[in-house]
Amino acid sequence: MKQTTKLLSSLFVTALFATSAVADVRTWTDTKGRQVTASFIGLDGENIILQTADGATHKFPLTNLSAEDQSLAKTMKPSEQPVMLANSTVAQASAAVDNLVAKGLVRANPERAKGGKKPITGFNPMANDEQFVRRVYLDVVGRIPNHAETTQFLQDSNPNKRAKLIDMLLDSPGYSSNTFNYFAEMLRVKDRLEQDNLRGVPYINWLQDQIAKNRPWNELVTDMLTATGKMWDRKPDGSYNGQAGYLLRDAGMPLDNLANTLAVFLGTDVACAQCHDHPFSDWTQHQFFEMAAFFGATTTNMRTAQARKGKDSPGMMNVMNDLMPKIEEIITKSGQDIKRVRNGIQNYIGANRSIIGDMNTNSMKLPHDYKYPDAKPLDPVEPKFIMWSKNDKNLAAYKQKIKDAEGLRTAFAKWTTDPSNPRFAMAIANRMWKRAFGQGITEPVTNIDDPKQSANPELLVHLAEEMKRVKFSIKDFMRIIYNTRAYQSESTSEKIAMGEPYYFQGPLLRRMTAEQAWDSYMTLVLGDPDKYTKPLEDLYSRSIDLDLTNPKLDAETVLMKYEAFRNMAKKENALMGGGLAEAGGDMMMEDNKKSKGKGEAKPAGEMMENASISYNGMVLRRAAELDQPAPNGHFLIDFGQSPRALIDGSTKTGSVPQVLMMMNGKAQQMLTSPESLIFRTMEKVKSPPEKVEALFVSVLSRRPTLSEKDIAKRAIGSGDDGYSNMIWALINTREFIFIQ
């Protein structure tokens, strides 16, 4: 009851900003005489749904209105316009965001006038259902909706269908896959790290698992910053210690890792201060090394970790000094050439030295070429947190008590993730906003130098507070953003110059990421691509693990595990289970039933468990289920997937390899093959016009226009390749590759 009363009270407040005209706008009066101007959306049982001028949609008991308005509402025709409706808490949070965006739009016009641009008169018009369903699938689950998903949404007459779809997508496996793609690029997650035989597979699996569980962002960051041990160490619950991959990703490069940590987690770019005082900000080189001192007792090498703690490393030395001769003897007796396998075995053993540990002394010193008067080269450095203002020292985040050197990283992690840290919540909120709108409130997202200079300072601060309110749940935060009127507006196609602020009257028209394009292809090929996951995900962790501190470790055990390690690829290849005919998981075609009897094809449901489908050498799984990043020459790389060397290192600009791939590459050939799922979808309907509509809905998530139907009719009549040519043409349109 309190929630309903609060919602009704918030409804009877004059909207801050007028948007495009909506049908049936009138003044409504409640039983207490309060009035509000709103449009009638419809009745839902005993409740009425009204939409205020700020775009927020409100649902409350009809009996809260005056008797006259109750009678009128019962005679009114429901709105045919798309509406937003979420539960009251989300609706209120979304409306608050919209109000701040609206205020920012008003302030934007003087600046736009200086640049000769037309004033903004409100949010962009509401996106229609066809635009919305395609956008929200791409933004939330990273792919276009399949034919059935699009059709189901378009035919749904429930006024609450947008909010319900958002909730459904956020709770789907596709959300986890798409969110992983984003964080993997941000964190530079790689399958194959710089050290021989050291792979990031346990780190990848851990990150995917945490996202699937919706672990709060502050907890994930804490885990990554405080991890100890090897990535494949087993925890008491049986899971792997994958979070160690964050520091091992930059093993032996603590200064680079710190620069990345500050940029990613705190939106603070101090990389220049590694070598000299920052030329454009107040950060000094001495401050940078004071921050680096929090990692001055940390090592990523087993020998260093044990030796500096004053301990011997008997197990490791046993393997290298005692076991290697025995291993070589066994190999030589078996008739193998030891020269061909020695390096491989040594690298295999060496991977197990990559372990995070903390020493009992802080070894951080200023560089030998330090040139500033406040200290001398090679002076020891004491850890000290940076501040963005003089008042920061009074915040709870700065009240860390450091007992010893081994507790430095823990203190740093607590400071970083504390809700009172001036940048932690703001940095991730700004990033998530950019995911939805195509541009951050402040750019670049790695450098929130002065929040007051952002496109909308009040909005930026508010979003940071919202991130704290939802306890750093990325999923709950994005639910609020996706339910805003601003997000559900038509996209803005106006070109925004580099460095020019954008005020978010709607999302920017933007190109798909490489992962979105590939996963959309997988949707056209597999129907439900989330059913096809990577097999044997813990095979690497089980194969690589050696306890080098175990004095009982013998040569036979090392060789047995090394052989299993070498055979990983064979085991994975054995699970390649079929081709295009098996995609989609249904029988679909009579020919497929007949070929099953000949051993040529069988439905996905009857394939070997965890089997993977392939086409012309390409494994057909979502981008998150493939190597990170994909190998050179793969569709993902040609379309700009980040090589994971730099933070946010992907590209979204067109290129010649992309054009060639789209026009005549293997992925294109796969879609236009008569065995592809999109062809089988068209086979479900009989008449050519119905086939054309099925094709448009499958590829562009909309029905064809009259002129497009006429063009399609001529294309189909041109010969047997008519439908293939249509698929080729639609895939190569700007409409397909851009998110409207």
Side-chain angles (χ1 to χ4, degrees), residues 293-294 297-298 358-362 402-409:
F294 284 99
T298 302
D358 291 298
M359 302 173 287
N360 51 20
T361 57
N362 184 351
I402 306 171
K403 296 181 180 180
D404 51 43
E406 294 183 53
L408 287 172
R409 278 195 296 136

Side-chain angles (χ1 to χ4, degrees), residues 332-579:
T332 302
K333 286 183 177 179
S334 69
Q336 299 181 63
D337 185 357
I338 186 60
K339 294 180 181 179
R340 300 184 62 181
V341 297
R342 179 186 287 116
N343 285 342
I345 295 174
Q346 289 178 338
N347 289 337
Y348 170 73
I349 295 171
N352 283 276
R353 297 190 191 124
S354 294
I355 180 171
I356 302 172
D358 291 298
M359 302 173 287
N360 51 20
T361 57
N362 184 351
S363 61
M364 186 57 60
K365 297 179 180 180
L366 290 173
H368 67 89
D369 58 352
Y370 189 78
K371 59 184 179 181
Y372 298 102
D374 56 350
K376 298 178 181 179
L378 301 180
D379 274 356
V381 184
E382 291 298 316
K384 185 178 179 181
F385 297 122
I386 58 174
M387 292 187 292
W388 289 270
S389 75
K390 294 180 180 179
N391 295 327
D392 288 350
K393 62 182 179 181
N394 299 318
L395 299 173
Y398 290 82
K399 307 299 182 181
Q400 303 294 333
K401 293 183 179 180
I402 306 171
K403 296 181 180 180
D404 51 43
E406 294 183 53
L408 287 172
R409 278 195 296 136
T410 300
F412 180 86
K414 288 181 178 179
W415 170 78
T416 299
T417 61
D418 193 286
S420 70
N421 185 299
R423 291 293 185 272
F424 182 66
M426 185 176 289
I428 189 63
N430 189 46
R431 279 183 165 276
M432 293 301 102
W433 181 266
K434 183 173 183 175
R435 286 187 71 197
F437 284 86
Q439 184 156 316
I441 302 170
T442 182
E443 287 282 350
V445 293
T446 53
N447 190 21
I448 308 176
D449 190 33
D450 183 0
K452 294 180 181 179
Q453 299 301 314
S454 65
N456 191 327
E458 293 84 357
L459 176 62
L460 182 60
V461 171
H462 176 76
L463 291 177
E465 292 304 313
E466 280 295 271
M467 183 62 75
K468 298 174 192 177
R469 186 182 68 82
V470 299
K471 301 185 187 304
F472 293 96
S473 167
I474 300 299
K475 182 181 293 188
D476 290 342
F477 182 84
M478 297 309 295
R479 194 188 318 274
I480 294 169
I481 303 306
Y482 293 136
N483 276 287
T484 60
R485 171 66 171 83
Y487 175 77
Q488 295 190 24
S489 301
E490 289 183 359
S491 62
T492 298
S493 57
E494 175 184 295
K495 184 175 178 59
I496 306 298
M498 183 178 295
E500 180 183 358
Y502 178 61
Y503 297 96
F504 312 108
Q505 56 268 37
L508 284 172
L509 179 69
R510 59 200 189 279
R511 189 183 179 92
M512 287 185 191
T513 65
E515 291 85 357
Q516 286 172 326
W518 172 260
D519 286 352
S520 294
Y521 270 47
M522 292 301 98
T523 301
L524 293 171
V525 173
L526 302 174
D528 183 2
D530 293 316
K531 291 181 178 179
Y532 301 84
T533 58
K534 56 189 174 185
L536 306 173
E537 62 178 20
D538 68 338
L539 182 59
Y540 171 78
S541 296
R542 289 187 286 110
S543 302
I544 194 70
D545 188 28
L546 287 175
D547 184 0
L548 300 185
T549 64
N550 181 7
K552 296 182 179 180
L553 185 65
D554 56 51
E556 289 77 8
T557 300
V558 174
L559 286 174
M560 180 182 67
K561 298 206 70 173
Y562 178 61
E563 187 64 20
F565 174 78
R566 292 178 63 191
N567 288 330
M568 283 195 308
K570 292 181 181 179
K571 290 184 178 181
E572 292 171 348
N573 290 336
L575 290 174
M576 298 306 298

Side-chain angles (χ1 to χ4, degrees), residues 534-712:
K534 56 189 174 185
L536 306 173
E537 62 178 20
D538 68 338
L539 182 59
Y540 171 78
S541 296
R542 289 187 286 110
S543 302
I544 194 70
D545 188 28
L546 287 175
D547 184 0
L548 300 185
T549 64
N550 181 7
K552 296 182 179 180
L553 185 65
D554 56 51
E556 289 77 8
T557 300
V558 174
L559 286 174
M560 180 182 67
K561 298 206 70 173
Y562 178 61
E563 187 64 20
F565 174 78
R566 292 178 63 191
N567 288 330
M568 283 195 308
K570 292 181 181 179
K571 290 184 178 181
E572 292 171 348
N573 290 336
L575 290 174
M576 298 306 298
L580 292 181
E582 284 77 41
D586 64 347
M587 301 294 283
M588 281 198 178
M589 294 178 64
E590 194 65 29
D591 289 343
N592 200 27
K593 293 181 181 179
K594 294 177 182 178
S595 64
K596 177 187 172 185
K598 299 177 183 179
E600 296 177 6
K602 54 186 176 181
E606 296 183 19
M607 289 168 55
M608 184 189 308
E609 185 178 0
N610 283 335
S612 297
I613 291 176
S614 64
Y615 175 82
N616 203 6
M618 296 188 302
V619 178
L620 305 186
R621 293 198 297 261
R622 294 199 63 162
E625 303 295 320
L626 300 175
D627 287 348
Q628 303 295 319
N632 289 333
H634 193 278
F635 177 101
L636 284 161
I637 295 298
D638 286 346
F639 269 76
Q641 184 185 43
S642 170
R644 309 289 167 79
L646 302 174
I647 299 169
D648 306 322
S650 65
T651 58
K652 294 181 182 178
T653 54
S655 65
V656 172
Q658 287 180 24
V659 174
L660 295 176
M661 179 73 75
M662 293 285 281
M663 293 183 67
N664 199 33
K666 291 189 289 186
Q668 184 68 39
Q669 295 167 8
M670 170 180 64
L671 291 180
T672 56
S673 167
E675 287 187 325
S676 71
L677 181 60
I678 190 170
F679 262 92
R680 287 182 277 145
T681 299
M682 288 190 292
E683 287 295 325
K684 290 182 176 180
V685 294
K686 300 300 180 183
S687 69
E690 289 177 311
K691 292 180 186 294
V692 170
E693 181 165 312
L695 178 56
F696 269 77
V697 171
S698 295
V699 178
L700 300 181
S701 307
R702 67 170 177 82
R703 301 177 181 91
T705 64
L706 290 175
S707 61
E708 288 168 338
K709 288 180 180 179
D710 185 56
I711 295 172

Side-chain angles (χ1 to χ4, degrees), residues 44-74:
D44 184 11
E46 299 299 319
N47 297 314
I48 186 172
I49 304 170
L50 299 180
Q51 187 174 42
T52 46
D54 61 356
T57 309
H58 306 268
K59 178 180 178 180
F60 58 91
L62 179 62
T63 54
N64 288 348
L65 293 178
S66 66
E68 180 182 353
D69 281 356
Q70 290 182 44
S71 300
L72 178 63
K74 293 176 181 178

